[in-house]
């Protein structure tokens, strides 16, 4: 018996499920092949309110071999009856998890991969970037700091203390709060296929 159920979840809740190992990428799916440009475009779409497509998850009764990493990080590899496998959306979820997870609190699978996920938001120019220079450094917030409450509060405090005129400082802080609200409130539609086997 197979049932199909459409759902919707906040992005941050899906990231939490991935971290706990409740959502996994089976090895019959291809691993991450997106370019940095495609990863940046995904976040552009989110901040502009564009839909990024539905994710397809499968909740079978059997266990499948999975990648031991999600993006650049190692996640819980234990299987239980609630494990959901990604059938469609692994590139998007790998990008979101890899970019929005704090590298200081996660076990890194491959340091070389980490650079690809080190995406920043330039509060002055209001754009996503990988580029860090002396001229833009104080305006850059790592994307993982935006969804990590303590990191975000620390960053706001630094902005508050920054040497800027009052109107510019207020603009930067408002830009930070806006991008925080967008990412924290963003919802992703997904469909769960319950039951069935690999052939069906």
């Amino acid at each position: 018996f197979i049932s199909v159920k459409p759902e919707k979840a906040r992005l941050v809740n899906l990231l939490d499920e991935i971290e706990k190992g409740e959502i996994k990428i089976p090895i019959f799916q291809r691993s991450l092949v997106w370019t940095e440009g495609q990863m940046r475009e995904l976040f552009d779409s989110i901040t502009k309110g564009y839909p990024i497509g539905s994710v397809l998850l499968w909740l079978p009764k059997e266990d499948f071999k999975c990648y031991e990493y999600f993006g650049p990080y190692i996640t819980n590899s234990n299987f239980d009856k609630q494990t959901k496998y990604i059938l469609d959306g692994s590139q998007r979820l790998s990008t979101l998890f890899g970019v929005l997870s704090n590298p200081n609190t996660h076990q890194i699978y491959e340091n070389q991969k980490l650079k690809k996920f080190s995406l920043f938001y330039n509060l002055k120019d209001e754009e996503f970037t990988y580029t860090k220079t002396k001229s833009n450094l104080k305006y850059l917030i790592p994307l993982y700091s935006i969804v990590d409450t303590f990191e975000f509060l620390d960053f706001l405090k630094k902005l508050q203390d920054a040497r800027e005129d009052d109107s510019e400082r207020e603009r930067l802080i408002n830009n930070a709060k806006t991008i925080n609200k967008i990412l924290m409130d963003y919802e992703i539609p997904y469909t769960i296929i319950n039951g069935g086997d690999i052939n069906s």
Side-chain angles (χ1 to χ4, degrees):
F1 176 75
I2 297 175
S3 67
V4 178
K5 187 180 179 187
E7 300 272 5
K8 194 185 274 191
R10 286 174 68 207
L11 167 59
V12 287
N13 293 341
L14 283 178
L15 298 181
D16 189 50
E17 285 190 55
I18 292 169
E19 186 173 345
K20 290 175 181 172
E22 294 170 10
I23 296 176
K24 296 177 184 169
I25 305 173
I27 58 168
F28 57 75
Q29 293 279 35
R30 60 183 181 162
S31 59
L32 186 72
V33 294
W34 270 14
T35 64
E36 290 179 357
Q38 288 172 303
M39 292 164 78
R40 194 171 54 236
E41 283 168 17
L42 178 69
F43 283 95
D44 270 332
S45 295
I46 288 172
T47 53
K48 288 170 182 168
Y50 300 159
I52 61 168
S54 180
V55 171
L56 186 60
L57 303 174
W58 181 31
L59 191 59
K61 298 288 186 285
E62 55 191 310
D63 185 11
F64 290 94
K65 191 168 176 58
C66 294
Y67 292 104
E68 61 180 314
Y69 57 88
F70 217 111
Y73 302 113
I74 295 170
T75 54
N76 187 338
S77 59
N78 296 329
F79 170 81
D80 66 40
K81 59 184 180 182
Q82 295 303 310
T83 296
K84 296 183 277 286
Y85 297 102
I86 303 174
L87 296 184
D88 183 43
S90 60
Q91 305 290 319
R92 284 166 286 160
L93 289 182
S94 290
T95 296
L96 293 167
F97 184 75
V99 171
L100 296 175
S101 295
N102 189 334
N104 303 310
T105 58
H106 286 74
Q107 189 178 355
I108 297 167
Y109 175 73
E110 195 179 324
N111 276 310
Q112 200 173 0
K113 266 188 170 188
L114 195 58
K115 189 179 176 189
K116 191 174 185 177
F117 292 88
S118 299
L119 188 57
F120 298 84
Y121 187 69
N122 186 320
L123 295 168
K124 187 175 184 180
D125 300 334
E126 298 179 52
E127 63 182 15
F128 296 98
T129 182
Y130 285 96
T131 309
K132 285 197 294 184
T133 63
K134 282 185 178 177
S135 61
N136 74 6
L137 202 56
K138 65 180 177 178
Y139 304 116
L140 298 185
I141 180 168
L143 259 60
Y144 69 82
S145 293
I146 294 172
V147 296
D148 182 315
T149 302
F150 293 114
E151 292 266 352
F152 186 65
L153 290 174
D154 282 346
F155 191 87
L156 284 184
K157 187 175 186 314
K158 285 177 189 171
L159 271 184
Q160 194 69 53
D161 298 338
R163 292 181 180 176
E164 297 287 344
D165 65 67
D166 290 347
S167 62
E168 179 64 1
R169 186 188 300 111
E170 188 177 345
R171 185 179 79 86
L172 295 172
I173 289 172
N174 285 337
N175 287 348
K177 288 179 178 177
T178 298
I179 194 76
N180 168 265
K181 182 169 174 50
I182 288 170
L183 291 179
M184 295 298 284
D185 292 348
Y186 194 78
E187 291 186 324
I188 295 180
Y190 66 95
T191 300
I192 291 186
I193 299 174
N194 206 322
D197 58 24
I198 192 70
N199 294 320
S200 60

